[in-house]
Structures are given as C-alpha cells and as structure tokens.
Amino acid sequence: MTTIITQFPVAHAIQERRTIKNFKPDAVSLDLINELLNISVWAPNHKLREPWRFIAFVEGGRKTLVQLMKRDAEKGKMGKPMKKAKIDYLLEIPAHVVVIMPEDPRPNVWEEDFAAVSTLIQNFQLAAWERGLGVIWKTDAVIYSPEFRQSIGVQPGEKVVGILHVGYPETAPKPQTRTPATDRLTIISDASGMIEEELFYIPISKQNIFLNLQSIPKTEAIQLAGEKLVELGYVAENYIASMHEKEKVKSTYLGNGVSTPHGSKIAKEAVVKSGVVILHFPNGIDYENGEKVYIMIGIAAERSYHLDVLMKAATMFEMKGNADKVANATSIEEFIQRFEEVERDTRVW
Ligand SMILES: Cc1cc2nc3c(=O)[nH]c(=O)nc-3n(C[C@H](O)[C@H](O)[C@H](O)COP(=O)(O)O)c2cc1C
C-alpha cells in the first residue's frame, strides 16, 4: 500500500479517487457536467490539437443510451440479450459522457492524441471526485460496434475512448492498493554515463598543434598541414595531393577565421588512422574572398570522421568570439586551455 498522507489537495484527490460502480439515484445536472468538462479540457495536448469531443446523455437521454446498448447486445457481435439486472443497473445511472477522439492516420499523432484524451478523462474523474461525484470509465465491446457508433453519431475516423458513467457514490468504495513506483524505478544519477562516451572531441595535444606560424599562401598552408599529418603517421604522402584536389573542388573555409582542409574520398586508402593537426597563424593567411584563416584544422579521415570534426568545429566556432579567443592564445598551454573551454561552453547535450 503506498498511500502518502499529504497536505496537497491534488495528491489527496489522486489517491482517494476510486472507480465508482454503484450510484445514488440523485440527478447530476448538465450544468455540472459542463463545468467538469471545462475543467478537464485543461489536459496537456500536443500542438494544442484538443483532440476530443463529447456526447452527454442526461435526463431522458440516459434511456436512449441504454436502449442503444441493449439493442447492440442483442443484434451486434455479442448476439446475446442484455440481462435485466444490467439494464436496470444502467437505467439508474444519473449521467453518461461519451468521450470521442479523431483517429489521425499518423501513428505518432494518434498516440499523442490518445494520451491527451486519457489525461483529459483522468482530469474529469478527479474534478468529479472533488465535487463528491464518482465515475467509472467503461470500454466495453459496445464502443467498437459499428451500429452503436453510428446510432450515437460517431463518425468514421473517430474513436470512442470511453463511456463515463457519472453519479454520486452509493457506497464508500473499497480501498485500493498500488505497487510502490520505486519497485519499478531505474535510477540514473551519474552525469558521466553512457551519453558522455558518445561525445565527440577534436583530439588536440601539444604534439598536433603548431603555434605561431608565419603567414604563408593558402596552398602552402594546406601543403604544410598535409606534411604534418604524414609526419604524425596519420596519412601516407599521397593524401596531400588529394587535400589540394578537394580544396579546388570546394573550399574548406568554415567561417570566422577557421578552415578544415581534408582529403577526398578516393584518398581513403592513404589514411592510416583518423586524426587532426592544428596550424595556428596569428596574423592570418589569405584564404578566399578576403577572408583570413587563423586556425587551420587539417583532417585525416577514415570513413566519415571529417564530418564529425566539421560538425564539432562548426559548433565551437560558430561565434566569432570563440574563434578569436583561441586564435589569440600565445602559448600551446593557453591554446589548449582555450580550445577546451570553448569545447565545453558549446557542448550540445
Ligand atoms: C482505459 C480504461 C478502461 C477501463 N474500462 C473499464 C471497464 O470497461 N469496466 C470496468 O469495470 N472498469 C474499467 N476501468 C476502471 C478500472 O477497472 C479501474 O480504474 C481499476 O480497477 C482501478 O481502480 P480505481 O480506479 O478505483 O483505482 C477502466 C479503466 C481504464 C483506465
């Protein structure tokens, strides 16, 4: 038993509410039903589609509903006459609300709408409970019967989510129990868990950063990046030619003073292992259309590694301030520290 005694009225209502099957004969007014429905429609619903409509059977309409249910029991799939006790029971119920939703053909939208309507029904049950009323949410076979649906005006493409029988409880409901949620709870409290392992970093170290280089023409800079990749054992010599080729086809200028030269697909065999070299030109090199590059990230890419680096670099240096901050470093230590700071500040979780 997991009843939590609390001073919070919503928590109280949630725990105290019980499904009510037996009702006093006292009438439930249409005004009250309307009031409860107007509270219920504050249910969460995606894109505010408000995927619901209602049919209320009150006063004489209650008899109509019972007759239609009875006819369906006899003539519908069940093919059995409804027992007199059941008819009498249904006739005594003070009010009925049929809750209907549109059936969107997109499965995700259907699910969202069904979820929204379900929360609406629970709102109704709780709001009713607060006013001393009881509800039972029924989903008997009749709600799927084409004849019954048609007879109450449910359109093709609509679903009856439930028939709510409403009235004042005749007897105090039996207490219910619930398994404590903690029995079914998985707790993940470690922020450096699975997700962190999947994060991508541009691997930088003192070995692959070349700081304070003289400004040189763009082609020479790409050549130098290629040579450094060869020196560090990332690629074979012929990869460099493909870096030049790639640059001719499409510039690798990223923006904000950063470029990311890399080889083309055909040079994949020349890649020994994925990695980067970072060339730092404090005075910039002329790259294209008057743009200067201060940080050149030369990439040796197996498979789609270059895309990981490109995406990461684009995120890190999307703000000019970040690119300037790293480019203005004056020592390797400072460069690494600033690079890592920018990486942390722009990390997308
Ligand atoms: C979607 C849905 C359909 C239900 N349909 C019926 C039903 O057809 N007949 C019935 O006796 N109770 C029905 N119930 C009520 C459940 O039996 C009831 O919620 C459950 O026994 C727990 O009791 P409580 O509501 O008092 O906590 C339905 C409940 C839900 C959520």
Side-chain angles (χ1 to χ4, degrees):
M1 184 77 175
T2 54
T3 306
I4 302 157
I5 304 301
T6 161
Q7 76 272 31
F8 301 113
V10 176
H12 253 299
I14 289 171
Q15 291 178 90
E16 280 180 13
R17 179 210 60 84
R18 290 280 68 82
T19 289
I20 297 300
K21 295 186 178 170
N22 297 309
F23 304 97
K24 288 182 181 160
D26 307 16
V28 176
S29 73
L30 184 58
D31 282 352
L32 184 50
I33 297 279
N34 272 332
E35 210 179 313
L36 296 174
L37 286 174
N38 279 326
I39 295 165
S40 310
V41 293
W42 286 94
N45 63 100
H46 200 189
K47 306 242 167 104
L48 290 181
R49 282 192 291 271
E50 303 188 75
W52 44 65
R53 72 179 187 93
F54 318 99
I55 305 172
F57 291 89
V58 290
E59 301 168 9
R62 299 177 305 144
K63 199 168 174 188
T64 307
L65 178 71
V66 178
Q67 276 173 344
L68 294 172
M69 290 171 80
K70 178 172 168 287
R71 190 183 69 182
D72 196 72
E74 285 159 9
K75 299 205 176 141
K77 245 187 178 170
M78 307 303 279
K80 272 199 291 195
M82 195 183 262
K83 289 200 174 113
K84 184 170 180 312
K86 175 140 189 205
I87 298 168
D88 291 344
Y89 163 75
L90 288 171
L91 284 170
E92 294 283 302
I93 297 174
H96 313 271
V97 178
V98 180
V99 182
I100 298 161
M101 69 173 244
E103 294 209 77
D104 196 289
R106 294 162 292 180
N108 58 328
V109 176
W110 189 97
E111 280 183 15
E112 285 171 2
D113 288 350
F114 186 69
V117 176
S118 300
T119 64
L120 174 140
I121 293 176
Q122 176 67 348
N123 279 355
F124 185 90
Q125 299 200 97
L126 292 172
W129 189 259
E130 191 175 51
R131 307 291 276 273
L133 283 166
V135 177
I136 180 166
W137 175 352
K138 296 291 294 268
T139 47
D140 333 57
V142 71
I143 68 169
Y144 302 100
S145 153
E147 295 78 19
F148 174 77
R149 286 165 48 97
Q150 199 183 12
S151 65
I152 62 167
V154 175
Q155 301 298 311
E158 287 188 316
K159 174 179 173 59
V160 175
V161 182
I163 301 178
L164 311 181
H165 300 319
V166 188
Y168 294 93
E170 173 75 275
T171 45
K174 277 195 200 138
Q176 278 263 356
T177 60
R178 292 292 192 270
T179 309
T182 40
D183 286 8
R184 300 186 181 175
L185 175 67
T186 305
I187 299 168
I188 297 168
S189 57
D190 183 357
S192 63
M194 296 169 284
I195 299 165
E196 182 119 31
E197 280 172 23
E198 289 168 14
L199 288 179
F200 177 82
Y201 301 95
I202 296 175
I204 55 163
S205 68
K206 283 186 179 174
Q207 282 68 46
N208 67 355
I209 299 170
F210 301 91
L211 210 67
N212 289 327
L213 300 171
Q214 292 289 322
S215 296
I216 46 177
K218 170 184 171 181
T219 321
E220 283 179 35
I222 291 172
Q223 179 70 25
L224 183 60
E227 286 169 7
K228 293 295 176 196
L229 286 172
V230 175
E231 264 175 47
L232 290 171
Y234 291 120
V235 294
E237 190 85 36
N238 56 340
Y239 187 78
I240 304 175
S242 94
M243 290 174 78
H244 289 298
E245 279 305 310
K246 177 85 192 177
E247 196 68 32
K248 270 189 218 148
V249 178
K250 194 167 183 290
S251 166
T252 60
Y253 183 66
L254 195 66
N256 291 333
V258 180
S259 77
T260 53
H262 54 274
S264 58
K265 258 192 203 143
I266 43 165
K268 290 286 175 198
E269 293 90 75
V271 179
V272 180
K273 59 182 178 188
S274 292
V276 300
V277 289
I278 295 182
L279 273 48
H280 171 236
F281 301 98
N283 298 316
I285 57 169
D286 292 326
Y287 216 74
E288 57 176 28
N289 306 327
E291 299 285 0
K292 277 185 183 287
V293 159
Y294 301 89
I295 300 169
M296 178 180 275
I297 306 173
I299 310 169
E302 293 171 294
R303 291 178 296 278
S304 58
Y305 181 82
H306 61 295
L307 296 179
D308 292 337
V309 177
L310 282 177
M311 258 162 22
K312 189 68 184 174
T315 310
M316 285 176 64
F317 301 120
E318 193 184 2
M319 278 166 58
K320 188 167 183 313
N322 285 343
D324 292 348
K325 176 175 164 173
V326 177
N328 290 335
T330 52
S331 68
I332 289 245
E333 289 76 16
E334 196 176 34
F335 190 95
I336 292 175
Q337 189 200 337
R338 291 182 177 196
F339 196 94
E340 286 176 350
E341 260 172 38
V342 168
E343 194 283 322
R344 261 197 311 279
D345 292 348
T346 55
R347 198 176 288 171
V348 183
W349 290 101

